[in-house]
Structures are given as C-alpha cells and as structure tokens.
Amino acid sequence: MKFTIQVNEGPYQHQSADTAYHFAKAALDKGHEIFRIFFYHDGVNNGTRLTTPPQDDRNIVNRWSELAREHDIDMVLCVAAAQRRGIVDDGEAERNGKDATNIAPGFRISGLGQLIEGGIESDRTIVFGD
Amino acid sequence: MSKTKKMMYINRKAPYGTIYAWESLEVVLIGAAFEQDVSLAFMDDGVYQLTKGQDTSGIGMKNFSPTYAALGDFEVNKIYVDKESLEERGLTLDDLQHLVWEDEDEDWAEKDSIHLVSRAELSDVLADQDVLFNF
C-alpha cells in the first residue's frame, strides 16, 4: 500500500512526531511504500538540524534523516509553516535575506500542494497530531 | 493528475489560541486548485471558526474569519456543521456567518454552503470520503 504521512506536531513537545516515525518504519518494514512525509504546523520543527537533545535521549531529527536516506523517502516541510517558524534552506535564506540555514539532511521545503498531491496519489493518508 | 478524490478537511479547534484553524484554511485554499471533490466539516470547538462578528483587536492577531466567505468562489461549497457541537456551546445557525456559493448550472443562483447535520449524519459523510485531513 502507498502511504502519505502528515506530521502536525513538533519533536519532543508531542508524541505524534515519534508515533509517525514508528508508523513509517513499521510500514516500510512490512514492504509498504511511503509516497511522501509532509510536515505541517509545528511539525516543521522536525526538520531543523540544530536540535541538540540530551545524549541519553532519542534524536528525532537525525532519525528522520536516516530514514529518508535509507529508504529514499520524500520528506517535505511546508514552506508557509517553515517560514513562520524559522526553518530555512539555501533557497529560503536567499529569498528572504536570512543569514543562516538550519534544514536537516533529507528534508526539503515546498508548498502545501505537495500535501494535496500526496492525498491524491496515495492509497491512504495518515495524519499524526492533535 | 486525473484522479478526483473526495477530500474532507475536519476542523475541530477554536479559531484562536492555536494556529490549527488558520493553517487549515490555508490548506483548503491551496487545495482548491487541485479540482478535487472538497468538503469541510466543523465540529467540537471548530464550530467557533464560523461564528460571525469575530473581533481580534484585543489579542493582536489577524481576524481571518472573512476568508471563509470567499470559499464559495473557490468552489468549496460543502460545509458540514455538527449540530450537537453547536448546541453544546449554546450556539445556533444564526450565530454563524451566512456562507453562500453561486451555482453556475442554475443561472448563478445563490445557495447556502453550510449544511447543519446531526453527529450521526456527519459520521456517514465522513465514512464516504477518500481522504480526511484532520486539523
């Protein structure tokens, strides 16, 4: 089955970032396909490489990046949500005159159309959040 | 993309206090360009999103409620409001904005967008969808 996953909550603040990850991993392990993981609302904070959790805790951001690398998953941060919350890639830094970037490997910033497309192209769209 | 799916956006939260309502509306507006069979549901505190006469001057936030009136122009004209959620909050249909759309098949006749439905009826509408986006 082909899934699109939407993550609406930030890492560490809310369990949905963890649950979405575990769901994605379990689906892949079962041989399912993930068309896209779309991060919205505070969920875009899953995609900043500047997080530094305590050493004895899970590293949620790195975990996503590794999942994307291992399984070649398309992970998209909503551009409007990312701009509000200061998640920046090279293109956004240039467009908006920012002096730094913080996007983590494996993520890209794009529009909400990517979420709708995921809903159209996938067999199931699963939303994680409140 | 030739597929047309039934897509419903479910709105369950108050318009202010969190950003869910506003960012949900942003998805609806962008999604309208994809020519899908779109509908919206408002339940729980989400019914407050449609109330008329919203005034945000005291909290320094943008009042985005006028945007709902534009949904008809985006061919988003199936708006389901959970009757019990209204009643639980002491609200009636009169407390909500009068949202309309123009039916081009009937000489642009103005029609109501809001459908007041019982929880059981709304449950049937939800079951009929291909994609549910929950906000």
Side-chain angles (χ1 to χ4, degrees), chain A residues 6 8-9 40-41 80-81 84-85 112-113 115-117 119-123 125 127 130, chain B residues 1 3 5 7 9 13 19-20 22-24 26-27 30-31 34 36 131-135:
Chain A
Q6 180 181 347
N8 284 344
E9 308 292 342
Y40 197 42
H41 303 306
R84 286 191 179 107
R85 293 164 179 85
L112 281 165
L115 171 63
I116 308 296
E117 187 195 35
I120 295 169
E121 296 298 327
S122 303
D123 301 308
T125 300
V127 184
D130 271 347
Chain B
M1 274 179 287
K3 297 174 211 170
K5 286 192 171 181
M7 290 195 168
Y9 302 90
K13 298 185 180 70
I19 200 169
Y20 296 104
W22 172 229
E23 286 192 335
S24 169
E26 288 189 331
V27 182
I30 297 285
F34 284 76
Q36 301 296 301
V131 182
L132 297 170
F133 290 113
N134 196 27
F135 293 101

Side-chain angles (χ1 to χ4, degrees), chain B residues 78-124:
Chain B
K78 290 193 287 282
I79 298 177
Y80 298 93
V81 175
D82 175 44
K83 192 164 170 284
E84 283 93 324
S85 294
L86 276 184
E87 287 169 357
E88 285 162 4
R89 288 158 183 80
L91 299 171
T92 69
L93 207 47
D94 288 339
D95 295 304
L96 306 184
Q97 295 188 57
H98 184 213
L99 302 181
V100 296
W101 62 287
E102 292 176 343
D103 189 346
E104 61 177 318
D105 295 332
E106 290 186 24
D107 197 24
W108 306 100
E110 205 173 78
K111 297 185 174 178
D112 284 343
S113 298
I114 291 183
H115 305 276
L116 194 61
V117 290
S118 71
R119 201 157 279 175
E121 288 167 333
L122 186 55
S123 168
D124 290 340

Side-chain angles (χ1 to χ4, degrees), chain A residues 1-127:
Chain A
M1 193 170 271
K2 199 193 292 184
F3 289 103
T4 283
I5 294 171
Q6 180 181 347
V7 183
N8 284 344
E9 308 292 342
Y12 304 103
Q13 171 77 16
H14 197 294
Q15 196 180 341
S16 73
D18 293 274
T19 315
Y21 170 80
H22 291 301
F23 177 87
K25 211 165 178 322
L28 291 163
D29 288 346
K30 290 275 186 189
H32 296 293
E33 181 188 342
I34 293 182
F35 178 77
R36 179 167 293 146
I37 304 178
F38 190 88
F39 296 84
Y40 197 42
H41 303 306
D42 274 355
V44 297
N45 290 311
N46 282 275
T48 166
R49 67 171 187 272
L50 300 186
T51 49
T52 313
Q55 283 192 351
D56 59 354
D57 198 356
R58 69 223 187 281
N59 189 316
I60 294 177
V61 176
N62 290 355
R63 214 167 53 176
W64 283 123
S65 293
E66 282 159 25
L67 192 74
R69 194 181 62 238
E70 282 171 23
H71 299 276
D72 196 23
I73 296 173
D74 187 23
M75 299 200 307
V76 178
L77 308 176
C78 166
V79 60
Q83 284 174 341
R84 286 191 179 107
R85 293 164 179 85
I87 310 296
V88 181
D89 64 3
D90 288 334
E92 285 299 304
E94 199 179 323
R95 258 189 299 283
N96 301 309
K98 301 298 178 185
D99 61 1
T101 68
N102 59 348
I103 194 167
F107 291 87
R108 66 187 178 95
I109 293 178
S110 188
L112 281 165
Q114 302 279 303
L115 171 63
I116 308 296
E117 187 195 35
I120 295 169
E121 296 298 327
S122 303
D123 301 308
R124 294 284 186 279
T125 300
I126 319 257
V127 184

